[in-house]
Amino acid sequence: MQNDYYKGLRSYYLTVAICLVVIAALFLISLFTGRYMIEPEEVIAFIENKEIPELSGRIITKLRIPRTIIALFTGASLAVSGAIYQGVFNNRMASPDLLGVSSGASLGACIGILMDLSFEKIVIASFAAGNLTVCITVMIAKLIGKQTEFSLILSGIATGGLMSSCIGLTKYLADDERKLSEITYWLLGSFSSSTMKEAAFISPVLTICFMICLLSVNTIDIISLGKKEAKVSGVNYNMSVLILISCATLMTASCVSVSGVIGWVGLTVPNLVRLVFGNMHRKVLMLSMLLGIVFMMLTDMLARTLSPDEIPLSVITGIIGTPLFLFSVIGRRKRDKVLQ
Amino acid sequence: MKITVSKLSFSYENKEEVLKDISFNIDGCGITVLLGLNGCGKTTLLDCIIGYHPVGKERIFIDGRDINRYTANELAHKISYVPQKVECKIDYTVYEYILMGRYPYIRPGRHPSKNDCDIAKKYMEQCRIAHLARKEITQISGGELQIVSLARALSQETEFIIMDEPFSALDFSNQSIVVELIKRLSEEKRHILLTTHNPNHALHMESSAFLMKGGRIIKWGMAEEVINVTILREIFGETVCLSKDLPFNEVSLKLRRLSG
């Protein structure tokens, strides 16, 4: 028993290694799959820095690479932010939608699209609106009263609802056919318009967030014990919660602003990890990140190969994510019965 | 190791004062029991000492240093805490949960060392809960969870251990296990400060006792000396009788039909 912790670590490291190999493979595969098939030999030649047909080269550098990078970061950040919200709010059903962040960030981006802003401004608008939503949520939670964990969730749902209505309003105002379809399509989530500029914009931000989160895995464990126990276990509770929630929010908002709303990843992936590997956040965060990447890359590949037109990502994540989520809940029940 | 409380008053959000002008001094190893009715301010007092409720300057000193000058981590090396009820709803295993008691000693992002695992295991065995190690904390009974939470506090290895109603969910056999454990800890150069509303616990543990009523400490001293019928009647009302004939010098609290 004394070695339980280290025994568990072996299978954890093995899984991490497998995930890394799978991600590397998926990265390569995603470079040659899509509507315009590129021969694997050409991709290998491209990596070896040899001459390849100009069209293929341009598709790889201008479309496939940025798209894959954004899929990678989106999957990782949605899953990690979900895991953080669950830990900090001591609630396994929490997800990035909980604080209304997704809805808030979407509203910002919708307004940006409506006002014909450039990409950078849309990202900033979306990020600002996401943060504003968090502030509103926290303020309402304080007005509700003492039980901050519960009232925060409650006010998050309310704020999210309000933001969704405002998104409806922007759709109503966008009578011009082009914009309405742009907003609607973007809201369903897509990587098809990803550019290198977007990838370069979000990668450093998200990498810093990941590093902060992976360094605070022990803190998340302690915070999930509740405020009183956390304070006596050497954690500066208010500051840590603020930093972790801000990181999670920043990750969600950045993803929403480049690729629209993609549901289910933040809820399903961490819950599956918790089912198989337990709840220590050191494992939950790292594996959620890796499996989130795998999940999102697969989803994106399906989205661009299943039909001649791109299928919106949320459609696929919903169809795959819902049964997986139910499996994680039911699986947990069954496992509990076996243990008893 | 020393805790000094001087002229501490506390109220929740400008309401009536829950603690009124409390001063005391706890020094060296031993057991101190806070005794009183529900709502007399016992838990609030503990919460102030563990730094959960912010208190004014120069009200609580730990080892001679104002509690406000401690960082959370420094305080976690001095004081550990056993809550009355575990709030965590995430299903960690018992072993993982106890291992978290070692976190104040682990640097950010690092794994617990083999030594940390050994310490967690040691206290799990000392509290006789080794058989629960792989169960989830959401699946075990309230009494078991209370002992698990005690083991977590112990693995923090602090000189001061503060317990809020550690017996509230325990059956008789577990109560005696915990009483014995607390006695042994007090012999190992630790000081245990706990609340209870059962005077017999104080008598059994041969502890010193603070008797609280209405936010004040009305009497203190060795449990043997301060716990007598007069003072207990003052706290608990006319339901108490103290019998020298009972074994182990116990008091018995009788339920009386309320007239009226």
Side-chain angles (χ1 to χ4, degrees), chain A residues 136-155:
Chain A
I136 295 173
T137 307
V138 172
M139 258 154 52
I140 295 177
K142 282 208 167 158
L143 284 179
I144 295 176
K146 268 194 226 160
Q147 278 186 315
T148 25
E149 288 84 0
F150 176 67
S151 43
L152 203 63
I153 291 170
L154 200 67
S155 72

Side-chain angles (χ1 to χ4, degrees), chain A residues 103-113 117 121-122 125-127 129-130 167 186:
Chain A
S103 316
S106 308
L107 177 63
C110 282
I111 293 173
I113 294 174
L117 296 178
K121 285 181 183 160
I122 289 180
S126 159
F127 177 51
I167 293 172
W186 174 83

Side-chain angles (χ1 to χ4, degrees), chain B:
Chain B
M1 185 70 202
K2 192 170 159 188
I3 291 183
T4 310
V5 176
S6 97
K7 293 179 187 166
L8 174 70
S9 297
F10 183 84
S11 61
Y12 291 100
E13 290 162 7
N14 299 324
K15 287 182 193 140
E16 203 189 334
E17 282 191 339
V18 188
L19 299 178
K20 295 164 191 161
D21 196 26
I22 286 187
S23 301
F24 62 83
N25 209 342
I26 299 175
D27 208 345
C29 54
I31 307 169
T32 306
V33 175
L34 277 175
L35 204 60
L37 286 178
N38 295 335
C40 72
K42 301 189 297 274
T43 300
T44 309
L45 179 55
L46 291 194
D47 288 352
C48 289
I49 296 174
I50 61 174
Y52 179 65
H53 293 315
V55 294
K57 270 186 190 168
E58 307 197 331
R59 287 287 163 263
I60 298 176
F61 297 88
I62 289 160
D63 277 348
R65 185 165 147 205
D66 192 329
I67 192 168
N68 294 316
R69 291 169 164 269
Y70 278 90
T71 65
N73 197 273
E74 284 170 341
L75 205 58
H77 288 243
K78 298 267 182 196
I79 296 179
S80 56
Y81 170 74
V82 184
Q84 190 174 355
K85 205 172 162 222
V86 173
E87 286 168 23
C88 185
K89 290 177 197 72
I90 292 184
D91 31 17
Y92 298 109
T93 65
V94 166
Y95 178 67
E96 289 168 346
Y97 184 76
I98 293 172
L99 201 52
M100 283 181 207
R102 300 300 303 163
Y103 280 13
Y105 302 91
I106 301 172
R107 294 227 304 276
R110 290 294 182 87
H111 287 282
S113 68
K114 285 239 158 59
N115 182 37
D116 292 323
C117 296
D118 288 343
I119 290 172
K121 189 194 166 204
K122 180 176 112 192
Y123 288 108
M124 214 153 42
E125 273 162 9
Q126 220 174 75
C127 295
R128 304 192 198 175
I129 46 168
H131 60 287
L132 296 175
R134 287 183 190 165
K135 290 211 171 172
E136 288 164 7
I137 56 167
T138 49
Q139 300 291 323
I140 57 180
S141 77
E144 288 170 330
L145 188 54
Q146 208 162 23
I147 297 185
V148 167
S149 145
L150 172 64
R152 192 182 75 85
L154 292 183
S155 66
Q156 210 170 316
E157 300 211 304
T158 55
E159 284 172 68
F160 246 96
I161 305 167
I162 294 187
M163 308 181 183
D164 193 4
E165 304 268 0
F167 309 106
S168 59
L170 302 182
D171 60 32
F172 274 128
S173 93
N174 277 333
Q175 280 194 19
S176 65
I177 290 177
V178 172
V179 165
E180 286 311 311
L181 189 69
I182 289 174
K183 276 168 131 176
R184 194 157 37 147
L185 287 169
S186 72
E187 287 154 13
E188 289 171 3
K189 291 189 180 167
R190 309 232 207 165
H191 198 112
I192 294 106
L193 173 62
L194 62 95
T195 63
T196 179
H197 36 243
N198 188 344
N200 289 326
H201 291 140
L203 292 169
H204 282 178
M205 291 185 288
E206 294 152 13
S207 66
S208 48
F210 290 137
L211 279 64
M212 279 186 81
K213 190 185 180 186
R216 292 177 195 280
I217 292 180
I218 55 170
K219 198 158 186 190
W220 61 93
M222 289 308 293
E224 281 282 307
E225 293 157 18
V226 287
I227 296 179
N228 57 44
V229 175
T230 336
I231 194 81
L232 288 183
R233 287 230 165 108
E234 192 184 332
I235 294 177
F236 295 101
E238 298 292 316
T239 52
V240 185
C241 78
L242 181 73
S243 168
K244 292 266 185 220
D245 303 331
L246 282 170
F248 314 120
N249 195 16
E250 279 196 336
V251 291
S252 79
L253 299 171
K254 285 184 184 161
L255 286 178
R256 238 177 32 147
R257 190 177 301 221
L258 290 174
S259 57

